[in-house]
Amino acid sequence: MFKICDSHCHFFSSRFLEILTKDVADLPADDRSGAVAAKLGWDAPGTAESLADRWAAELDRHGVSRSVLIASIPGDEKSVATAVARHPSRFVGFVMFNPMAPEAPSRLASALDDNGFPVVALFPAMHRYRLDDERVSDVFESARARNAAVFVHCGVLSVGVRKKLNLASPFDLRLGDPLAVAALALRFPSVPVIIPHFGAGLFREALMAADQCPNIYLDTSSSNSWIKYHPGLTLDAVFRQALAVAGPERLLFGTDSSFFPRGWQLPVYNAQLAALDAAIVSPDDSSKILGGNFDRLFPLS
Ligand SMILES: [Zn+2]
């Protein structure tokens, strides 16, 4: 009954798996991504084109109109750009970007201008930089100049695929602070800023940031298992509180879907729908959260 748009899905392409495991020795050179997928118990992603078609069919199967696809490792922009070009009415591309990497400005310009990504995704805890670094302001300035948005992962960060492959993940969680995001959002009021997973454990800080900055959005994605850090907290209470502070226009439904055969995470959708119901959210507000806000942020051209 609602138009559903998913604001948080990862495009785990063959190239993504190749870059992720570039330092792993015991993989065959001729089918690295296939071997990694087999290790993980995943279906091999195949070409970006075939994976894009598979996601489009998966969205159809679940009645999902549109979805974000995050290029989830620096260097995999092309795969997501290919998917978006193939299904422009279905997919919106986010690009994971490390502002501290060599030649960052030209890489960013290429992602925004050549590939046309409307959102730059920052993972400060993963790439270990401070959000008050000038190079992060430069990202916001580039986004502002192109009417793009910025996504900033805050709070607890655990990347399932890295864990499963035993890849070292020396993340510094102190660096993903919604209050540091708020300082940037205030300086760049025309740039929409998305904080995923309600702040992923820094819920209070995410609410403070959203309260102070009308350009901050919260995405609702994942199983939201961070609520275990808050004694007695429930997902419906999270929705109620987020609505009370940020209002219905700034919550973006998402699942955090990422690989096949699992595909689109229907259980996450069902849990959030039940939470919206338990929180007695009106159908009008629910429809904004589940898809309307997405369409407003990412209008179909
Ligand atoms: Zn995610």
Side-chain angles (χ1 to χ4, degrees):
M1 57 176 169
F2 294 113
K3 179 175 182 184
I4 307 167
C5 300
D6 191 331
S7 64
H8 193 134
C9 291
H10 294 270
F11 196 67
F12 284 173
S13 66
S14 291
R15 185 80 188 119
F16 166 83
L17 292 179
E18 285 165 12
I19 299 172
L20 185 71
T21 58
K22 65 181 181 340
D23 298 324
V24 178
D26 60 336
L27 291 168
D30 57 333
D31 186 19
R32 219 177 157 75
S33 62
V36 179
K39 265 191 189 203
L40 291 163
W42 296 2
D43 294 347
T47 63
E49 287 83 355
S50 64
L51 187 60
D53 292 351
R54 190 167 186 189
W55 271 115
E58 178 74 355
L59 298 187
D60 285 342
R61 197 163 79 79
H62 291 287
V64 179
S65 300
R66 305 174 66 199
S67 109
V68 160
L69 295 177
I70 305 176
S72 303
I73 200 161
D76 193 31
E77 294 80 9
K78 188 89 182 45
S79 304
V80 169
T82 298
V84 173
R86 209 166 160 87
H87 300 281
S89 66
R90 310 303 299 278
F91 299 138
V92 171
F94 287 17
V95 55
M96 180 193 274
F97 180 70
N98 177 4
M100 305 302 132
E103 294 156 42
S106 65
R107 284 175 193 227
L108 183 59
S110 155
L112 295 174
D113 299 335
D114 305 340
N115 292 318
F117 289 111
V119 180
V120 185
L122 303 178
F123 290 74
M126 178 185 292
H127 295 130
R128 303 167 69 94
Y129 57 85
R130 291 176 58 96
L131 286 168
D132 56 12
D133 191 290
E134 256 329 285
R135 286 167 283 188
V136 180
S137 309
D138 293 346
V139 172
F140 275 73
E141 177 52 35
S142 295
R144 188 201 59 75
R146 294 165 174 91
N147 295 317
V150 181
F151 163 112
V152 188
H153 192 284
C154 295
V156 73
L157 175 63
S158 95
V159 181
V161 59
R162 300 188 71 97
K163 271 192 186 161
K164 268 188 146 179
L165 294 169
N166 281 320
L167 300 175
S169 301
F171 303 157
D172 186 340
L173 300 188
R174 295 171 298 179
L175 298 169
D177 182 352
L179 298 183
V181 178
L184 285 157
L186 283 176
R187 282 175 59 200
F188 296 92
S190 67
V191 176
V193 181
I194 301 166
I195 298 178
H197 324 302
F198 295 106
L202 298 176
F203 184 43
R204 184 188 67 147
E205 288 78 359
L207 291 179
M208 290 163 69
D211 203 16
Q212 195 173 37
C213 311
N215 50 329
I216 287 186
Y217 294 72
L218 305 179
D219 101 22
T220 69
S221 71
S222 84
S223 57
N224 284 304
S225 63
W226 58 266
I227 65 177
K228 69 187 173 210
Y229 308 131
H230 299 257
L233 188 62
T234 58
L235 192 56
D236 44 301
V238 169
F239 270 100
R240 251 196 313 271
Q241 201 61 24
L243 277 165
V245 175
E249 319 273 338
R250 292 193 285 145
L251 300 183
L252 296 164
F253 161 73
T255 59
D256 214 357
S257 300
S258 53
F259 65 89
F260 288 101
R262 187 177 68 178
W264 194 69
Q265 291 216 64
L266 182 62
V268 169
Y269 171 73
N270 285 337
Q272 292 191 32
L273 209 58
L276 287 169
D277 198 43
I280 320 178
V281 178
S282 70
D284 193 41
D285 288 353
S286 294
S287 95
K288 288 177 182 165
I289 296 166
L290 292 169
N293 295 335
F294 181 114
D295 275 341
R296 202 179 70 247
L297 263 185
F298 309 117
L300 280 167
S301 49

